[in-house]
Each structure stands twice: as structure tokens, then as C-alpha cells.
Amino acid sequence: MTAPSTFGLSSEARNLHWLLTNLVEEVPGIESVAVVSSDGLLLLSSDPDRNEQAKAKRTRTGPRGSAADLATIVSGIGSLTIGAARLMEFGGVKHTMVAMDEGSLFVMSISDGSLLGVHGSAECDMSVVAYHMALFVGRAGHVLTPELRSELRKSLEAESTGSPR
């Protein structure tokens, strides 16, 4: 994974980037990770293909190489499951898992309404992924303030346009 530059970010933002990088590097089978705000905007991503040159070389489409695609999927699944839980009157959604033939998608709620989404390979151990996601949520949930979410959004926007933070 290519770590995004954290130059100029607050210590809280740098810590979240470190937690995300650690999650991807320490857990076998994780393809990509996205943290999405409650309003569906991408806040953090493990996507090494954010720059245009890397995107041009990519031959496969979908969330494996696109932070925006994964964020959209995570936001949609989060919205769908929250709506289902309300209709069923079962309380809040803690996590959702979608198992597919060639991989899995995990979505976990973060305390502020944000969502952590993980795209895993078919070989990943789902219980290990879920455990490490819970660790991430426990460590990140209390620091995702409105100010930090704004800082993370601006950082991603600056990164995608190539402008300084």
C-alpha cells in the first residue's frame, strides 16, 4: 500500500492514517479500506490508486482500486441496513458482512455515524478482519470530531487536485 502524505495534518489525523495503514498491513486478505462520513463522503482510504497515473495503469475496476467506489458501496450498504433496522425496530446496526464468491465486504459503524468499510479477498479470515475492524472503531471513534472530519475531507480534496493543504 502506498501511504498518503500526512504532512501538515493534525496529530489526530496522522494517527487515523496510521491506524488505517496498520489495519491494511497487519491483516492478511484486506484489499482496501474506506472510512466514510455519515453523509457518505470519503474521509480516509487505503486506496493506493488515488493518483491519475496509477488509475491509468489499473486494469480491474471496482472497489479494489477505487476509493470512491468503495465509499459509495459502504455508504449505500450502511444506509440500507440502518433503514432495515429501523423498520424492524431492532436498534442500531453494529456491523454488516456480505460474503461473495471471490471476496467479502465488511461495514462497521463508528460512534459518530461514520462507517468503516473493508473489502477482503476470498482467502481472508472473516473473524480476524471483524476483530481488527472493531479495534480500529474503538480507537478511532472517539476522535472523529466534526473538525477532524472536515480536515480529512479537505486533505483528500487537496490530494486529488494536487493542491497543497
Coordinates of all heavy atoms in Angstrom, one line a residue, residues 18-62:
W18 N -2.4 6.4 10.4 CA -1.5 5.3 10.9 C -2.3 4.1 11.2 O -2.0 2.9 10.8 CB -0.7 5.8 12.1 CG 0.2 4.7 12.6 CD1 1.4 4.3 12.2 CD2 -0.2 3.7 13.7 NE1 1.9 3.3 12.9 CE2 0.9 2.9 13.8 CE3 -1.3 3.5 14.5 CZ2 0.9 1.8 14.7 CZ3 -1.3 2.5 15.4 CH2 -0.2 1.7 15.5
L19 N -3.5 4.3 11.9 CA -4.4 3.1 12.2 C -4.9 2.4 11.0 O -4.9 1.2 10.9 CB -5.6 3.6 13.1 CG -5.3 4.0 14.5 CD1 -6.6 4.6 15.1 CD2 -4.9 2.7 15.3
L20 N -5.2 3.2 10.0 CA -5.7 2.6 8.7 C -4.6 1.9 8.0 O -4.9 0.7 7.6 CB -6.3 3.7 7.8 CG -7.0 3.2 6.6 CD1 -8.4 3.0 6.8 CD2 -6.8 4.2 5.4
T21 N -3.5 2.4 7.9 CA -2.3 1.8 7.3 C -2.0 0.5 8.0 O -1.8 -0.6 7.4 CB -1.1 2.7 7.2 OG1 -1.4 3.9 6.5 CG2 0.1 2.0 6.6
N22 N -2.0 0.5 9.3 CA -1.7 -0.6 10.2 C -2.8 -1.7 9.9 O -2.4 -2.9 9.8 CB -1.7 -0.2 11.6 CG -1.1 -1.3 12.5 OD1 0.0 -1.9 12.2 ND2 -1.7 -1.6 13.6
L23 N -4.0 -1.4 9.8 CA -5.1 -2.3 9.6 C -4.8 -3.1 8.3 O -4.9 -4.3 8.2 CB -6.5 -1.6 9.5 CG -7.7 -2.4 9.2 CD1 -8.0 -3.5 10.3 CD2 -8.9 -1.5 9.0
V24 N -4.5 -2.4 7.2 CA -4.3 -3.0 5.9 C -3.1 -3.9 5.9 O -3.1 -5.0 5.4 CB -4.2 -1.9 4.8 CG1 -3.8 -2.5 3.5 CG2 -5.5 -1.2 4.7
E25 N -2.0 -3.4 6.5 CA -0.7 -4.1 6.5 C -0.7 -5.3 7.5 O 0.0 -6.3 7.2 CB 0.4 -3.2 6.8 CG 0.6 -2.2 5.7 CD 1.7 -1.2 6.0 OE1 2.3 -1.1 7.1 OE2 2.1 -0.4 5.1
E26 N -1.4 -5.3 8.6 CA -1.4 -6.3 9.6 C -2.4 -7.4 9.4 O -2.2 -8.5 9.9 CB -1.6 -5.7 11.0 CG -0.5 -4.7 11.4 CD 0.8 -5.4 11.6 OE1 0.9 -6.5 12.1 OE2 1.8 -4.9 11.1
V27 N -3.4 -7.2 8.6 CA -4.5 -8.2 8.5 C -4.4 -8.8 7.1 O -4.7 -8.1 6.1 CB -5.9 -7.6 8.7 CG1 -7.0 -8.7 8.6 CG2 -5.9 -6.9 10.1
P28 N -4.1 -10.1 7.0 CA -4.0 -10.7 5.7 C -5.3 -10.8 5.0 O -6.4 -11.0 5.6 CB -3.6 -12.2 6.0 CG -3.0 -12.1 7.4 CD -3.7 -11.0 8.1
G29 N -5.3 -10.5 3.7 CA -6.5 -10.6 2.8 C -7.3 -9.3 2.7 O -8.2 -9.3 1.9
I30 N -6.9 -8.3 3.4 CA -7.6 -7.0 3.2 C -7.1 -6.4 1.9 O -5.9 -6.2 1.6 CB -7.4 -6.0 4.3 CG1 -8.1 -6.5 5.6 CG2 -7.8 -4.6 4.0 CD1 -8.1 -5.6 6.8
E31 N -8.1 -6.1 1.0 CA -7.8 -5.5 -0.3 C -7.8 -3.9 -0.2 O -6.9 -3.3 -0.7 CB -8.8 -5.9 -1.4 CG -8.9 -7.4 -1.6 CD -7.7 -7.9 -2.5 OE1 -7.1 -7.0 -3.2 OE2 -7.4 -9.1 -2.4
S32 N -8.8 -3.4 0.4 CA -8.9 -1.9 0.6 C -9.8 -1.6 1.7 O -10.6 -2.4 2.2 CB -9.4 -1.3 -0.7 OG -10.6 -1.7 -1.1
V33 N -9.6 -0.4 2.2 CA -10.4 0.1 3.4 C -10.8 1.5 3.1 O -10.1 2.3 2.5 CB -9.5 0.1 4.7 CG1 -10.3 0.6 5.9 CG2 -9.0 -1.3 4.9
A34 N -12.0 1.9 3.6 CA -12.5 3.3 3.4 C -13.3 3.6 4.7 O -14.0 2.8 5.3 CB -13.4 3.4 2.2
V35 N -13.0 4.8 5.2 CA -13.8 5.4 6.2 C -14.7 6.5 5.6 O -14.2 7.4 4.9 CB -13.0 6.0 7.4 CG1 -13.8 6.7 8.4 CG2 -12.1 5.0 8.0
V36 N -16.0 6.4 5.8 CA -17.0 7.2 5.1 C -17.8 8.0 6.2 O -18.2 7.4 7.2 CB -18.0 6.4 4.3 CG1 -19.0 7.2 3.6 CG2 -17.2 5.5 3.3
S37 N -18.0 9.3 6.0 CA -18.8 10.0 7.0 C -20.2 9.7 6.9 O -20.7 9.0 6.0 CB -18.6 11.5 6.6 OG -19.2 11.9 5.4
S38 N -21.0 10.1 7.9 CA -22.4 9.8 8.0 C -23.2 10.3 6.8 O -24.2 9.8 6.4 CB -23.0 10.3 9.3 OG -22.9 11.7 9.3
D39 N -22.7 11.3 6.1 CA -23.3 11.8 4.9 C -22.8 11.2 3.6 O -23.0 11.7 2.5 CB -23.3 13.4 4.9 CG -21.9 14.0 5.0 OD1 -20.9 13.2 5.1 OD2 -21.8 15.2 4.9
G40 N -22.0 10.2 3.7 CA -21.5 9.4 2.6 C -20.2 9.9 1.9 O -19.8 9.4 0.9
L41 N -19.5 10.9 2.5 CA -18.3 11.4 2.0 C -17.1 10.6 2.5 O -17.0 10.2 3.6 CB -18.1 12.8 2.3 CG -19.2 13.8 1.7 CD1 -18.9 15.2 2.2 CD2 -19.2 13.7 0.2
L42 N -16.2 10.3 1.5 CA -14.9 9.6 1.9 C -14.1 10.4 2.8 O -13.8 11.6 2.5 CB -14.2 9.2 0.6 CG -12.9 8.5 0.8 CD1 -13.1 7.1 1.3 CD2 -12.2 8.4 -0.6
L43 N -13.6 9.9 3.9 CA -12.8 10.6 4.9 C -11.3 10.0 4.8 O -10.4 10.8 4.9 CB -13.3 10.4 6.3 CG -14.7 11.0 6.6 CD1 -15.1 10.7 8.0 CD2 -14.6 12.5 6.3
L44 N -11.2 8.7 4.8 CA -9.9 8.1 4.7 C -10.0 6.9 3.8 O -11.0 6.2 3.7 CB -9.5 7.5 6.1 CG -9.0 8.4 7.2 CD1 -8.9 7.7 8.5 CD2 -7.6 9.0 6.8
S45 N -8.8 6.6 3.2 CA -8.8 5.4 2.3 C -7.4 4.8 2.2 O -6.4 5.5 2.3 CB -9.2 5.9 0.9 OG -9.0 4.9 -0.1
S46 N -7.4 3.5 2.1 CA -6.1 2.8 1.9 C -5.8 2.7 0.4 O -4.8 2.1 0.0 CB -6.2 1.4 2.4 OG -7.2 0.6 1.7
D47 N -6.6 3.2 -0.5 CA -6.5 3.1 -1.9 C -5.2 3.7 -2.4 O -5.0 4.9 -2.4 CB -7.7 3.8 -2.6 CG -7.7 3.6 -4.1 OD1 -6.8 2.8 -4.6 OD2 -8.6 4.1 -4.7
P48 N -4.3 2.8 -2.9 CA -3.0 3.4 -3.4 C -3.2 3.9 -4.8 O -2.3 4.5 -5.3 CB -2.1 2.1 -3.5 CG -3.1 1.0 -3.7 CD -4.3 1.4 -2.9
D49 N -4.3 3.8 -5.4 CA -4.6 4.3 -6.8 C -5.3 5.6 -6.9 O -6.0 5.8 -7.8 CB -5.4 3.2 -7.6 CG -4.6 1.9 -7.7 OD1 -3.4 2.0 -7.6 OD2 -5.2 0.9 -7.9
R50 N -5.1 6.5 -5.9 CA -5.7 7.8 -5.9 C -5.2 8.7 -7.0 O -5.9 9.5 -7.5 CB -5.7 8.4 -4.6 CG -6.7 7.9 -3.6 CD -6.7 8.7 -2.4 NE -5.4 8.6 -1.7 CZ -5.2 7.9 -0.6 NH1 -6.2 7.4 0.0 NH2 -4.1 7.9 0.0
N51 N -3.9 8.5 -7.3 CA -3.4 9.5 -8.3 C -3.7 9.0 -9.8 O -3.9 7.8 -10.0 CB -1.9 9.7 -8.2 CG -1.1 8.4 -8.4 OD1 -1.2 7.9 -9.5 ND2 -0.3 8.0 -7.4
E52 N -3.8 9.9 -10.7 CA -4.2 9.6 -12.1 C -3.3 8.6 -12.8 O -3.8 7.8 -13.5 CB -4.3 10.9 -12.9 CG -5.4 11.8 -12.4 CD -6.8 11.1 -12.3 OE1 -7.1 10.4 -13.3 OE2 -7.5 11.3 -11.3
Q53 N -2.0 8.6 -12.5 CA -1.1 7.7 -13.2 C -1.4 6.3 -12.8 O -1.4 5.4 -13.7 CB 0.4 8.1 -12.9 CG 1.4 7.3 -13.6 CD 2.8 7.7 -13.3 OE1 3.0 8.4 -12.3 NE2 3.8 7.2 -14.0
A54 N -1.6 6.1 -11.5 CA -1.9 4.7 -11.1 C -3.2 4.2 -11.6 O -3.4 3.1 -11.9 CB -1.8 4.7 -9.5
K55 N -4.2 5.1 -11.6 CA -5.5 4.8 -12.1 C -5.4 4.4 -13.6 O -6.2 3.5 -14.0 CB -6.5 6.0 -12.0 CG -7.0 6.2 -10.6 CD -7.9 7.3 -10.5 CE -8.3 7.7 -9.1 NZ -9.1 8.9 -8.9
A56 N -4.6 5.0 -14.4 CA -4.5 4.7 -15.8 C -3.9 3.3 -16.0 O -4.3 2.7 -17.0 CB -3.6 5.8 -16.5
K57 N -3.1 2.9 -15.1 CA -2.4 1.5 -15.2 C -3.4 0.4 -14.7 O -3.2 -0.7 -15.1 CB -1.2 1.5 -14.4 CG -0.1 2.3 -14.9 CD 1.2 2.2 -14.1 CE 2.3 3.1 -14.5 NZ 3.4 3.1 -13.7
R58 N -4.4 0.8 -14.0 CA -5.3 -0.2 -13.4 C -6.1 -0.9 -14.5 O -6.7 -0.3 -15.3 CB -6.2 0.4 -12.4 CG -7.0 -0.6 -11.6 CD -7.9 0.1 -10.6 NE -9.0 0.8 -11.3 CZ -9.4 2.0 -11.0 NH1 -8.9 2.7 -10.0 NH2 -10.5 2.5 -11.6
T59 N -6.1 -2.2 -14.4 CA -6.9 -3.0 -15.4 C -8.2 -3.5 -14.8 O -9.1 -3.8 -15.6 CB -6.1 -4.2 -15.9 OG1 -5.7 -5.0 -14.8 CG2 -4.8 -3.8 -16.6
R60 N -8.3 -3.6 -13.5 CA -9.5 -4.1 -12.9 C -10.3 -2.9 -12.4 O -9.8 -1.9 -11.9 CB -9.1 -5.0 -11.7 CG -10.3 -5.7 -11.2 CD -9.9 -6.8 -10.2 NE -11.1 -7.4 -9.8 CZ -11.1 -8.7 -9.5 NH1 -10.0 -9.4 -9.4 NH2 -12.3 -9.2 -9.1
T61 N -11.6 -3.0 -12.5 CA -12.5 -1.9 -12.0 C -13.1 -2.3 -10.6 O -13.0 -3.5 -10.2 CB -13.6 -1.6 -13.0 OG1 -14.4 -2.8 -13.1 CG2 -13.1 -1.2 -14.3
G62 N -13.7 -1.4 -10.0 CA -14.4 -1.7 -8.7 C -13.6 -1.2 -7.5 O -12.6 -0.6 -7.6

